[in-house]
Amino acid sequence: MNKLISFFLKSILIVTSGIRNRIVYLSFPDYDDMLRGLLPHLKKMEVIILVSKDGSTPLWLDEYNVKVVDKKSIKGFYYLLSAQVIYFTHGIYSFYPKVNAKRQKIINLWHGMPLKNIGYLDGKTSVPDCHYCLATSDFFADLMSKAFGLSLDDVIVSGLPRNDLLMKETKNDYLLALKNKYSTVVCWLPTYRKSNIGDIRSDGKSDYNIKYNWMIINEYYKRQNAILILKPHPMDADINTNIDFSNIIILTEDSMNDVNTSLYEVLSITDMLWTDYSSVFIDYALTNKPIVFISPDISEYKASRGFAYDTDIYPLPGRSFKDVNEVLSCSLRELSISSNYDNSLYQKYKIFNFEALK
């Protein structure tokens, strides 16, 4: 059935012309920071955002003249077929065909450079098709070409759109108030072990989730006049967001929208990142701020999901701990004393180069 639909759509694409300057964007979540970083470059174009669910649009989207359309609607398919350029972070449809780039160009922004195996590196038998994808350095260009079956010539080395938000000073009142109130702002971004949406899978210790003694963690931050911002992974099936403490904030897509911000703008005000295997650390390395890796199941994770490169040869740019208790035995001041590292492995450019995509 997919092959039949693909043939039908390809026939339409071949005999019709794409509408000049019509851009279609698809991502997960629907309004991510790749979109927010890309939109300033698309102000002279017609932009259609295809979304997978109903709900309010983020407040920051109000400054842009865009159309939001149901991804699964007839209108959504019309915009896909009539677009001159399609950008995506997770794919379009498995049956959507790629035609000559002169008719319609498909660009894979993806959702971060890989520490975890992705695409063909992850044993997939098919991957989202595209004409071009992005990489932040020559090191990752090689990995992205292998992950998506592209030639190196079709991998564009550039900064990522979302990193423009990371490197820019915020004017958001809520974030500035947090920064002024606390001596240290830390963001904790754990990846998921078990997912119930998107790519359904279990990796590492599948029963692992964030079940820590939040009272102890809260007291740790309270003593140091610091705030912990915990952002669960959107695909995490087990994360507990029902936490209410004085010095811990749980970020969700809805709560960020309530204060007119997004994840990478939040990261711009932080003093330190805690994570495990999330590719966010590759972007965060641009800031030269301390990164703490908390990896209680690294052996199991390597054996199940696997890493795209050998971290013994290319060490992670920060201090690594086996569990949170080890981290809490150090003060935030001690954790902030981080050895210098060369982030050129991860990033060739700080700012997104939109011209390279034309």
Side-chain angles (χ1 to χ4, degrees):
M1 180 61 74
N2 277 0
K3 289 183 179 179
L4 183 62
I5 296 173
S6 181
F7 175 79
F8 174 70
L9 295 178
K10 192 170 186 176
S11 300
I12 294 175
L13 287 165
I14 289 173
V15 300
T16 59
S17 299
I19 296 177
R20 183 173 175 79
N21 288 334
R22 173 170 286 176
I23 305 293
V24 165
Y25 184 93
L26 306 91
S27 66
F28 175 81
D30 288 327
Y31 308 101
D32 69 341
D33 277 318
M34 286 295 199
L35 172 64
R36 192 177 183 189
L38 182 63
L39 282 176
H41 302 278
L42 305 180
K43 288 187 173 180
K44 295 182 180 180
M45 303 176 189
E46 180 190 12
V47 179
I48 295 92
I49 304 168
L50 298 188
V51 300
S52 58
K53 66 176 183 179
D54 296 327
S56 60
T57 58
L59 297 175
W60 53 258
L61 197 63
D62 291 346
E63 65 181 282
Y64 300 102
N65 183 24
V66 301
K67 296 177 184 176
V68 177
V69 179
D70 184 350
K71 178 181 176 181
K72 297 180 180 179
S73 67
I74 294 175
K75 185 183 288 187
F77 271 100
Y78 163 71
Y79 281 123
L80 264 181
L81 292 170
S82 62
Q84 185 179 41
V85 181
I86 299 173
Y87 296 98
F88 70 77
T89 64
H90 287 70
I92 307 174
Y93 290 103
S94 58
F95 53 78
Y96 194 83
K98 181 181 74 174
V99 295
N100 191 296
K102 292 181 180 179
R103 164 58 183 84
Q104 183 177 79
K105 189 184 298 182
I106 300 177
I107 299 174
N108 178 2
L109 300 175
W110 205 235
H111 43 283
M113 296 299 99
L115 171 62
K116 300 174 286 189
N117 279 328
I118 60 171
Y120 290 130
L121 297 176
D122 191 30
K124 297 287 192 293
T125 57
S126 64
V127 297
D129 209 354
C130 62
H131 294 98
Y132 305 101
C133 74
L134 295 189
T136 61
S137 70
D138 295 335
F139 175 77
F140 283 116
D142 179 61
L143 293 177
M144 295 296 278
S145 70
K146 292 173 180 174
F148 293 103
L150 297 171
S151 72
L152 277 173
D153 289 340
D154 294 331
V155 181
I156 300 167
V157 178
S158 165
L160 299 182
R162 67 187 187 189
N163 287 346
D164 289 2
L165 301 170
L166 175 65
M167 302 304 293
K168 184 180 178 181
E169 285 191 22
T170 182
K171 295 180 180 179
N172 182 282
D173 291 337
Y174 173 78
L175 296 179
L176 291 174
L178 276 183
K179 189 70 175 173
N180 290 331
K181 182 176 180 179
Y182 297 99
S183 60
T184 307
V185 180
V186 178
C187 190
W188 190 357
L189 284 163
T191 195
Y192 64 93
R193 301 309 193 279
K194 184 167 64 175
S195 60
N196 57 5
I197 55 176
D199 185 10
I200 309 299
R201 62 189 303 154
S202 293
D203 296 307
K205 292 181 179 178
S206 60
D207 60 346
Y208 169 87
N209 54 31
I210 307 300
K211 290 181 178 177
Y212 298 120
N213 189 323
W214 293 110
M215 186 174 294
I216 291 176
I217 295 174
N218 187 70
E219 286 302 313
Y220 171 85
Y221 276 86
K222 193 173 181 180
R223 287 195 307 270
Q224 301 177 83
N225 186 36
I227 188 76
L228 173 64
I229 301 172
L230 175 65
K231 173 61 172 68
H233 194 285
M235 290 173 62
D236 200 318
D238 292 326
I239 195 70
N240 175 21
T241 58
N242 297 316
I243 300 169
D244 185 15
F245 287 103
S246 61
N247 290 61
I248 300 174
I249 295 172
I250 303 294
L251 277 190
T252 64
E253 299 302 318
D254 288 340
S255 67
M256 285 189 290
N257 189 30
D258 289 342
V259 292
N260 193 22
T261 191
S262 57
L263 177 59
Y264 271 59
E265 186 176 25
V266 172
L267 287 173
S268 74
I269 67 148
T270 60
D271 302 293
M272 185 185 305
L273 173 70
W274 290 10
T275 186
D276 44 19
Y277 318 118
S278 173
S279 62
V280 69
F281 84 84
I282 295 165
D283 296 339
Y284 200 78
L286 273 173
T287 67
N288 291 314
K289 296 174 183 177
I291 303 174
V292 171
F293 294 91
I294 308 169
S295 312
D297 60 345
I298 190 165
S299 298
E300 293 87 349
Y301 204 92
K302 283 183 177 180
S304 54
R305 180 65 178 263
F307 289 166
Y309 61 92
D310 190 337
T311 54
D312 291 328
I313 298 175
Y314 305 103
L316 298 175
R319 296 179 63 181
S320 295
F321 297 85
K322 291 182 179 179
D323 56 46
V324 173
N325 291 332
E326 281 190 2
V327 180
L328 299 184
S329 68
C330 305
S331 68
L332 290 173
R333 182 181 178 85
E334 290 172 313
L335 293 174
S336 68
I337 302 173
S338 178
S339 57
N340 292 327
Y341 53 86
D342 179 7
N343 69 33
S344 63
L345 177 71
Y346 307 110
Q347 308 284 350
K348 191 170 183 178
Y349 302 102
K350 288 188 176 182
I351 303 302
F352 172 56
N353 181 13
F354 180 70
E355 295 299 315
L357 299 186
K358 291 184 176 180

